[in-house]
Amino acid sequence: TAVMAPILLNCMGNDQNEYIKQQVQVKNPYLDTMEEDILYHFNLSTKTHNLPEMFGDIKFVCVGGSSNRMKAFAQFIHQELKLPGNPEEIKDICEGTDRYCMYKVGPVLSISHGMGVPSISIMLHELIKLLHHAHCHDVVLFRLGTSGGVGLAPGTVVITDKAVDYSFCPRFEQVVLGKVITRSTELDEGVASELLQCSSELQNFPAVIGNTMCTHDFYEGQGRLDGALCSFSHGEKMEYLRRAYEAGVRNIEMESTVFAAMCRVCGLKAAVICVTLLNRFEGDQIASPHDVLLEYQQRPQILVSHFIKKRLGNIV
Amino acid sequence: TAVMAPILLNCMGNDQNEYIKQQVQVKNPYLDTMEEDILYHFNLSTKTHNLPEMFGDIKFVCVGGSSNRMKAFAQFIHQELKLPGNPEEIKDICEGTDRYCMYKVGPVLSISHGMGVPSISIMLHELIKLLHHAHCHDVVLFRLGTSGGVGLAPGTVVITDKAVDYSFCPRFEQVVLGKVITRSTELDEGVASELLQCSSELQNFPAVIGNTMCTHDFYEGQGRLDGALCSFSHGEKMEYLRRAYEAGVRNIEMESTVFAAMCRVCGLKAAVICVTLLNRFEGDQIASPHDVLLEYQQRPQILVSHFIKKRLGNIV
């Protein structure tokens, strides 16, 4: 096969580099037959916007739940990459809709996705179509989030090994036309270890690699005793968290399984980086002072910024 | 039992009216033992805010996905109820967080809930706790949304009879500590017929009562051919929609089952009113002009406003 490779490359055209580029793979045979594709929740369309011109140079996509946080990240990465212009004047590309916000900073796209699997899944469908229409290649996706920690000190950053469901399995159940299908939720191991290496290069930066449990609600599904509904005891809660810990779960959030599953199907390298706001073995309420929580939330941003700068050669 | 009733009432205290008030029932024995309850995603707390004073007079809670739309509804109902003050100056009670927005207009609370079951479920847990802490009673909840229509002309308002899942069953599956439990999703029949009566009193107001299917994603789960992933044919899509129609489904959205289930468990009368933005038998993309979509989105607001004014005696 080593002998065959150059011949194959030549068959694909003169530009050998073009061939090895990792394209974004939409898995929909109908898409390229459509005259127009309206990305409804972004308020963008292939007819009204020149997507290759607007987004063709994107190499890193960073997503997170809160719109304020993703705007702050865009301004932060603007400063970190020492790009020209005023970071305060960054414009929301999706300003015609309030479903998501989107900021472009050089090769970095920063997008909010709201809370929960359905909300991030709508965003991911339209993002993957956007990257496809814009002919992007070699893109890495990061989810930068907040989470509940399982046996970790608050403020610890968890780089996700496997995204697991409520029974600690690395799978995502998707309903397609009334039938349940299962997708794998494995993430890119290389990106995860590269992120762990980055964390060791930062000072006083507590980070671990562990499994991340993704639930479909914040209260009963995560074993909280402080929701409007609670039918279990403190002991039963602790037992469930203990079993999660034994299965390698180090944090709990609400989007990682579908994020991992969709990126995997579409050939996108992806990582999940969430800071823990509390240790769930010690409580349910997020009671830390505002400024402490704000500092915690900057940690995934600092880590991903370091990763991006290294990849771009800004750090030797 | 007719003879027993007065005796029972007397046992409850002097104020007979107090007894027949419909209280909000949180189903959590731990809640009233907590020293403080932080409603994290509202940025409110029982210690820092006087919830009975702020919210005690609430009688109608209107929720919807989009924050802009729920702000517009707050301004609209302010005018409709002819309340003093400038509707433009309405303040977001949750302005310290970007997870949800919340506006209070006399006895009406208007709150955004984002997209999908997990996002509205977090909001509902904290809303039901808020109503409980504020000692609210006789509250009616409305979800005002947008949806895909099934065999209806775009712009038709669907008042939900039953909220059903992807297999057209009126149930919501909730994971509690790793186990799946099932909750009923029946809504209040009385409120639904009262809303249909209201719609007949408005001019040129197309409205029907029908079942609403709630899915966990917008593309594959709703049978769209225009997502980043699509593994089925046009014929299979049409067949699924036909089966939905035969099961009484008239529209598809992403929040109704958990909304119905949680309101039912907590003794809250609730209704779901969604306008259809397109007829899914005819397509998948939401391609109507912006001003047409905007007018459609006002229809659930006009209907619920009429209901509220009638209940308050503003309309004879």
Side-chain angles (χ1 to χ4, degrees), chain A residues 128-185:
Chain A
I128 291 166
K129 293 200 293 178
L130 183 154
L131 297 173
H132 169 76
H133 293 312
H135 312 303
C136 295
H137 52 86
D138 303 316
V139 177
V140 187
L141 258 78
F142 304 91
R143 167 167 143 69
L144 292 74
T146 56
S147 62
V150 183
L152 296 176
T156 306
V157 170
V158 179
I159 301 158
T160 303
D161 179 11
K162 283 183 293 224
V164 301
D165 68 6
Y166 61 87
S167 57
F168 322 131
C169 294
R171 66 178 177 197
F172 175 66
E173 292 191 343
Q174 169 71 45
V175 175
V176 181
L177 295 185
K179 292 194 187 82
V180 180
I181 65 162
T182 296
R183 292 188 174 135
S184 164
T185 56

Side-chain angles (χ1 to χ4, degrees), chain B residues 6 13 24 42 44 72 104 130 157 186 200 226 228 240 271 285 305-306 315:
Chain B
V24 181
F42 286 161
L44 296 172
K104 183 176 182 300
L130 182 153
V157 171
E186 276 177 53
S200 72
D226 63 342
Y240 184 62
Q285 294 237 312
S305 161
H306 189 77
I315 298 173

